[in-house]
Amino acid sequence: MAESLPEHDRILQEIESTDTACVGPTLRSVYDDQPNAHQKFMEKLDACIRNHDREIEKMCNFHHQGFVDAITELLKVRADAEKLKVQVTDTNRRLQDAGKEVIAQTEEIIRCRVQQRNITTVVEKLQLCLPVLEMYSKLKEQMSVKRYYSALKTMEQLENLYLPRVSQYRFCQIMIENLPKLREEIKEISMSDLKDFLESIRKHSDRIGETAMKQAQQQKTFSTALQKQNNVNYGRNMHLGRNRILESKNEITLKRTFEDEDEHEEEVLTAQDLVDFSPVYRCLHIYSVLGDGEIFENYYRKQRRKQARLVLQPQSSMHETVEGYRRYFSQIVGFFVVEDHILHVTQGLVTRTYTDELWNMALSKIIAVLRTHSSYCSDPDLVLELKNLIVVFADTLQGYGFPVNRLFDLLFEIRDQYNETLLKKWSGLFRDIFEADNYSPIPVANEEEYRIVISKFPFQDPELDKQSFPKKLPMSQSVPQIYMQVKEFIYASLKFSESLHRSSTEIDDMLRKSTNLLLTRTLSSCLQNLIKKPHIGLTELVQIIINTTHLEQACKYLEDFISNITNISQLTVHTARLYGLSTFKDARHAAEGEIYTKLNQKIDEFIQIADYDWTMSESDGRASGYLMDLINFLRSTFQVFTHLPHNNNDHAAMSGKVAQTACMSACQHLSMSLMQMLLDSELKQISMGAIQQFNLDVIQCELFASSEPVPGFQGDTLQLAFIDLRQLLDLFMVWDWSTYLADYGQATSKYLRVNPSTALTLLEK
């Protein structure tokens, strides 16, 4: 009981001193205490209330007089208060009336302040939105002027910097939704531009390539001119005391030439000027920014490979004109010039490995195409122009870093074909020359005509030089023409060897080999065909022998001619020799054989007109007319052989041998033909008068043989051609059968050359 009283005092103290809001927890502690605590607290509270009532009563008693006095004072001021109230009410009314306008102005001020605050808020928000709108407007403008790469950069700034600041606005959401669509639109537009670009360069690749090839040619010409200038300067240093003024003029001229070429080069557009590569750059940048760079690279390479296959596909009639080849090469050069430019100005769109792979594929196709189409070219001029185009084509691409060794190897194959076309062309030229030749010695009326001939053909004959004009050169008109055509062939062959990047020794070897083919195959074939022609008579054959002799002698001058062109001495170990000697020797042998054949054919023609009366009783007493005509023909024919070349002992021996062989062949053939006439199976009966007439004809043959129609025969060598016929006729003329039978088989027999079967056959007739 004693312990709880101080606790109740504390609770009462807290109730008196704390705020009424906190009384609840204090009162709750009364109920949470010991049992009967509530009653005890109430008792304590009543005691406390009684104490406070006694204090209030004491205080009221103490202040009662003052209260009475205060009431009295209040009653005194009541009237004044009424007056004051009236005055205050009036003042309040007047203030209210006066404050209405102020209130109105105040409300207006408040409204303006609200508007001002709203405007400030709007301005602040607009300041946030304006950059977004400006950037979006800029984006639209960039799209309209096709600055797509810049548009992508603007989109990136919008998404990362500007739109997040105002993302709560609806228009920003619309923008955000439109940006992916714009990206896709940019991709489609840039890809469309790229396709247009690819189509454009496909159509104009020939012009690009033509420009690049012209520039390569100009560069090569410039380098050649510069080299010549260096050579001129070198020569000037070696010969400083001579031609100083002329060299100065040459330098001025060369300088002007270089300046003109420089001006011309400035006028020529480069591939970069001809092609607008911006669609490629834009598309590459756009796809790179969008993270699709690899897709773009694959697409570009795939499309360019397709275009490469189209470019490499030749036209079916390409080989008919040089323009067909020029367009083909220009397209290919244009294609690879574009790829080389893309390689150097972009990073990774194409690589060196890619271009090398593409070039190797193209090179294989180009070589196959050129092999196929060049094989149809039969015109050497077209083949030569093709070669020049290939050289320019190779030099151009080599300048761009592409390997072209296989192209130069191909040129060696085409060179063989070029030589074949030259051989065919010169075969026709040789045939025309031979057809137009009169096969007579060349007449020269004066010194001028003589100089004209020897300017075309290296003819030297001291004996002929001593003779006065007019005179005749031993060869016919075809000889200088053939010689000049051989030189023209060498020049034509040399044209192909130029610009092949080969040494002078190799060029010299090429010229000699091609010239050997011309002599040993083409000219030899033409000579052989000429000799076999029916209209070529004995006189023409003799002249052909003379012509081939002089052409053979001229071979050494052709070798000197080739050496002068190539500056390669004939003493060089690897220098080939001309094989014309064998060509002309074979032609002479063929002509000689044809002479023998034609003589025999002519003899056969005379024999065929023989009209013997094999049953005549006695002879006419003179030789047959056909035989006398035949002998006269042989005499005049063998006189022609005096025109064979004999300006030295070798030629004299050769001409004598040909004449002797021809004469011996003719006599032997005549003897055999007469023998066959007697032994002809269709001849059944022969009278002694016919034998006597036949004997007179044989006597004329023997007289012809003994008259030495061709000098140089020893003894009776030529008469021996008729010995078989003579012994047979003697046997029948004297009827000396006993001697024949007695001496048969002995070396000393008078009728040693008479065959028993032949004698028996004639005896039966």
Side-chain angles (χ1 to χ4, degrees), residues 27-28 50 62 115 142 170 199 254 263 268 287 293 307 428 544 578 593 666 696 711 716 740 750 760 765:
L27 293 177
R28 191 178 296 113
R50 288 192 298 270
F62 179 75
Q115 289 180 349
Q142 290 170 342
R170 189 165 58 87
E199 181 66 19
L254 188 61
E263 292 177 358
V268 176
Y287 273 76
Q307 290 189 348
I544 289 173
L578 297 183
L696 291 176
D716 57 352
Y740 174 73
K750 181 180 179 180
L760 182 60
K765 295 182 179 183

Side-chain angles (χ1 to χ4, degrees), residues 536-631:
I536 298 297
L538 295 173
T539 304
E540 288 80 3
L541 289 171
V542 171
Q543 187 62 55
I544 289 173
I545 293 175
I546 297 173
N547 292 348
T548 55
T549 302
H550 287 282
L551 288 172
E552 179 182 343
Q553 294 172 350
C555 283
K556 62 179 181 179
Y557 297 101
L558 290 176
E559 289 188 341
D560 295 337
F561 176 71
I562 295 175
S563 297
N564 292 333
I565 291 177
T566 60
N567 293 324
I568 299 297
S569 173
Q570 297 187 39
L571 301 178
T572 305
V573 176
H574 300 290
T575 300
R577 296 289 181 240
L578 297 183
Y579 303 129
L581 300 178
S582 61
T583 296
F584 299 120
K585 286 179 180 178
D586 294 341
R588 279 198 300 276
H589 292 159
E592 292 169 5
E594 193 66 18
I595 287 175
Y596 309 150
T597 301
K598 287 186 179 295
L599 274 175
N600 295 340
Q601 290 175 350
K602 199 67 177 178
I603 290 171
D604 292 339
E605 292 175 3
F606 280 100
I607 294 296
Q608 288 175 1
I609 64 175
D611 187 19
Y612 284 103
D613 182 6
W614 297 106
T615 61
M616 66 175 56
S617 57
E618 61 181 15
S619 67
D620 294 339
R622 63 180 183 274
S624 302
Y626 87 92
L627 187 65
M628 296 307 298
D629 293 340
L630 173 58
I631 290 174

Side-chain angles (χ1 to χ4, degrees), residues 1 40 52 188 206-207 236 289 343 365 399 403 429 529 583 632 671 727 733 749 753:
M1 183 65 181
K40 294 177 181 179
H52 282 296
E188 292 176 0
D206 55 341
R207 185 184 174 195
R236 180 183 60 187
V289 169
L343 172 66
K365 179 66 175 178
L429 293 174
N529 293 334
T583 296
N632 291 332
S671 176
Q727 290 184 8
M733 290 294 294
S749 174
R753 305 298 294 270

Side-chain angles (χ1 to χ4, degrees), residues 650-702:
D650 292 339
H651 288 162
M654 182 199 67
S655 62
K657 182 179 179 181
V658 172
Q660 291 170 13
T661 305
C663 187
M664 176 60 74
S665 175
C667 291
Q668 289 176 346
H669 187 73
L670 177 58
S671 176
M672 291 177 61
S673 298
L674 292 173
M675 181 70 76
Q676 291 296 328
M677 189 182 299
L678 287 174
L679 302 177
D680 189 0
S681 60
E682 295 182 358
L683 180 60
K684 304 300 183 182
Q685 185 178 0
I686 303 176
S687 65
M688 285 303 299
I691 291 293
Q692 291 172 358
Q693 181 64 41
F694 197 83
N695 183 59
L696 291 176
D697 293 344
V698 174
I699 290 173
Q700 289 299 322
C701 293
E702 292 172 334

Side-chain angles (χ1 to χ4, degrees), residues 339-347 350 352 400:
E339 288 305 289
D340 181 76
H341 181 75
I342 295 295
L343 172 66
H344 288 90
V345 299
T346 60
Q347 296 181 354
V350 296
R352 175 57 67 182
Y400 284 91

